Amino acid sequence: MTLLAWTLALFSFAPSATTDSLTVTLNNIQGSEGKIVVQLYDSADSFMNTPIHTATATPDSATASVTFNDLEYGTYAIIVLHDKNDNGEMDMGPGGIPDEGYAFSSGAGAMGPPNFSAAKFAFAANKRSHDIRMIYW
C-alpha cells in the first residue's frame, strides 16, 4: 500500500467533528450602558428557565458578538437582554412595555415572548453563526 493510499484510508475512518464554536452577532444595539446578556437553550423544557450557557458582551457599539465554544451540533434557541442598569432582570415600563432592549433567535418575539419552536435554529458544520437584531421600544 502506498503512503497516499494508507493516509486516505486512515482519514476515511476518522470520526467527524460533532462540536464546534457558535458565534452570535447582535445588531441594532442602542446605548452603551450596562451589559448584553446572551442565554442559550437546547430544549422547549428549559427555554426561558434554565440556559445551558450564558455569555455577556459590552455594548460599546451598535454591533457585538459572543461565542459559545465546544457546543454540540443540534437545535438551539437564544434569548438576549440589554441589561442597561445591570440589575439582572428585564425592567418594564407602564403597560408592561420593556424599558430595555431584548431579542430572541430566528427573529421571534417582536410582539411578546415566543416559544422554543418559534425561536429555534439549527447549529451545524455549515451553520456556525447566527445573527440577532435587538428590539427597543
Side-chain angles (χ1 to χ4, degrees), residues 1-13:
M1 181 181 270
T2 67
L3 179 60
L4 176 60
W6 181 81
T7 304
L8 290 174
L10 177 66
F11 283 107
S12 68
F13 294 108

Coordinates of all heavy atoms in Angstrom, one line a residue, residues 1-13:
M1 N 0.9 -1.2 0.0 CA 0.0 0.0 0.0 C 0.9 1.2 0.0 O 1.8 1.3 0.8 CB -0.9 0.0 1.2 CG -1.9 1.1 1.3 SD -2.9 1.1 2.8 CE -4.3 0.2 2.2
T2 N 0.6 2.2 -0.9 CA 1.4 3.4 -0.9 C 1.1 4.3 0.3 O 0.0 4.1 0.9 CB 1.1 4.2 -2.2 OG1 -0.2 4.7 -2.2 CG2 1.3 3.3 -3.5
L3 N 2.0 5.2 0.5 CA 1.7 6.2 1.6 C 0.5 6.9 1.4 O -0.3 7.2 2.4 CB 3.0 7.1 1.8 CG 2.9 8.1 2.9 CD1 2.7 7.4 4.2 CD2 4.1 9.0 2.9
L4 N 0.2 7.4 0.2 CA -1.0 8.2 -0.1 C -2.3 7.3 0.2 O -3.2 7.8 0.8 CB -1.0 8.7 -1.5 CG -2.3 9.4 -2.0 CD1 -2.5 10.6 -1.1 CD2 -2.2 9.8 -3.4
A5 N -2.3 6.1 -0.3 CA -3.4 5.2 -0.1 C -3.6 4.9 1.4 O -4.8 4.9 1.9 CB -3.2 3.9 -0.9
W6 N -2.5 4.7 2.1 CA -2.6 4.5 3.6 C -3.2 5.7 4.3 O -4.1 5.6 5.2 CB -1.2 4.1 4.1 CG -1.3 3.8 5.6 CD1 -1.6 2.6 6.2 CD2 -0.9 4.7 6.6 NE1 -1.5 2.7 7.5 CE2 -1.1 4.0 7.9 CE3 -0.5 6.0 6.7 CZ2 -0.9 4.6 9.1 CZ3 -0.3 6.6 7.9 CH2 -0.5 5.9 9.1
T7 N -2.7 6.9 3.9 CA -3.2 8.1 4.6 C -4.7 8.3 4.3 O -5.5 8.7 5.2 CB -2.4 9.3 4.1 OG1 -1.0 9.1 4.3 CG2 -2.9 10.6 4.7
L8 N -5.1 8.1 3.0 CA -6.5 8.3 2.7 C -7.4 7.3 3.4 O -8.5 7.6 3.9 CB -6.7 8.1 1.2 CG -6.2 9.3 0.3 CD1 -6.3 8.9 -1.1 CD2 -6.9 10.6 0.7
A9 N -6.9 6.0 3.6 CA -7.7 5.0 4.3 C -7.8 5.4 5.8 O -8.8 5.2 6.4 CB -7.0 3.7 4.1
L10 N -6.7 5.9 6.4 CA -6.7 6.3 7.8 C -7.8 7.4 8.0 O -8.6 7.3 8.9 CB -5.3 6.8 8.2 CG -5.2 7.3 9.6 CD1 -5.4 6.2 10.6 CD2 -3.8 7.9 9.8
F11 N -7.8 8.4 7.2 CA -8.7 9.5 7.4 C -10.1 9.2 7.0 O -11.0 9.8 7.5 CB -8.2 10.8 6.6 CG -7.1 11.5 7.3 CD1 -5.8 11.4 6.8 CD2 -7.2 12.1 8.5 CE1 -4.7 12.0 7.4 CE2 -6.2 12.7 9.1 CZ -4.9 12.7 8.6
S12 N -10.4 8.2 6.2 CA -11.7 7.8 5.9 C -12.4 7.2 7.1 O -13.7 7.2 7.1 CB -11.8 6.9 4.7 OG -11.2 5.6 5.1
F13 N -11.7 6.7 8.1 CA -12.3 6.1 9.3 C -12.3 7.1 10.5 O -12.8 6.7 11.5 CB -11.5 4.8 9.7 CG -11.7 3.7 8.7 CD1 -10.6 3.4 7.8 CD2 -12.9 3.1 8.5 CE1 -10.8 2.4 6.9 CE2 -13.1 2.1 7.6 CZ -12.0 1.8 6.7

